[in-house]
Amino acid sequence: MKLREFLELRKTDGMFGVELEIEGENLPDHLPAAWRLTQDGSLRGNFPTQAAEYVMIKPMSLASTNLNIKRLTDHLQEVGAQPLFSHRTSLHVHVNCQELTWDEYSAFLYTSLLMERVLLNFCGQSRVGNRFCLRVTDAEGYLDDLRRLFRNGFRYFITGGGNANKIKY
């Protein structure tokens, strides 16, 4: 059974969703069509010209995701935005797992956990231990929630799915 079926969700097309949290100057409030603007409380500066979160409006294929990231970065350059990246800013890439079976989903999680330290090396030393980007070894309670998830399978999600305040997102 797939995760979508188990949770009785409507099918969502597209594989990737992206969120870009950004601080800086002259940030635009009008965006390319694939993006929406939201306010993020972890960012510093006036919304939306100095602190903004740009969120893809729906999941997309890899090719469409890459194209729309390019459109957004081109737009930022065209309007003269001056992004400043800090420990508060980040890029989140979400992966649509609705169509995965439990075996596929758990393999995806295991692989991501095994690769976590290696992947974080690409983010720079300032991200290690950063409270906005915690590894499983840094996040209190995350390991307990993972144990419950692997013990309960998809049933974990209908029993509350752990305490969101204790784990990374």
Side-chain angles (χ1 to χ4, degrees):
M1 175 179 283
K2 296 178 180 181
L3 179 59
R4 176 185 53 79
E5 295 165 339
F6 182 81
L7 296 177
E8 299 177 353
L9 299 172
R10 190 172 33 131
K11 183 177 180 183
T12 300
D13 292 323
M15 181 57 72
F16 301 100
V18 174
E19 301 174 14
L20 175 61
E21 297 168 352
I22 190 170
E23 296 174 340
E25 295 294 331
N26 200 37
L27 301 178
D29 58 356
H30 292 86
L31 303 174
W35 298 91
R36 66 180 167 85
L37 177 66
T38 63
Q39 190 169 7
D40 185 299
S42 66
L43 300 174
R44 300 295 175 257
N46 294 322
F47 173 78
T49 59
Q50 295 176 321
E53 182 173 14
Y54 303 129
V55 180
M56 285 176 48
I57 59 172
K58 65 180 184 176
M60 299 181 186
S61 68
L62 179 59
S64 292
T65 298
N66 287 335
L67 175 66
N68 283 293
I69 289 172
K70 172 123 176 60
R71 286 179 177 156
L72 178 62
T73 56
D74 288 349
H75 181 68
L76 292 172
Q77 286 183 327
E78 289 168 7
V79 301
Q82 299 170 5
L84 299 170
F85 295 98
S86 73
H87 68 280
R88 293 178 299 273
T89 62
S90 65
L91 173 76
H92 300 174
V93 178
H94 299 268
V95 178
N96 183 352
C97 293
Q98 287 184 336
E99 295 302 310
L100 298 182
T101 64
W102 171 250
D103 287 344
E104 293 166 335
Y105 182 76
S106 60
F108 179 82
L109 286 177
Y110 277 125
T111 303
S112 67
L113 292 168
L114 289 171
M115 297 300 297
E116 187 174 48
R117 285 181 183 258
V118 173
L119 292 172
L120 195 60
N121 286 339
F122 289 99
C123 299
Q125 192 61 30
S126 67
R127 297 307 280 185
V128 175
N130 178 312
R131 69 184 176 118
F132 299 109
C133 185
L134 295 175
R135 301 169 297 185
V136 69
T137 57
D138 301 322
E140 183 179 324
Y142 190 31
L143 194 54
D144 292 335
D145 288 327
L146 285 169
R147 282 188 192 113
R148 281 195 294 279
L149 171 63
F150 288 119
R151 190 177 308 124
N152 295 318
F154 285 159
R155 289 184 313 281
Y156 173 82
F157 296 110
I158 61 172
T159 61
N163 180 347
N165 293 321
K166 294 189 325 185
I167 62 173
K168 64 181 178 181
Y169 48 89

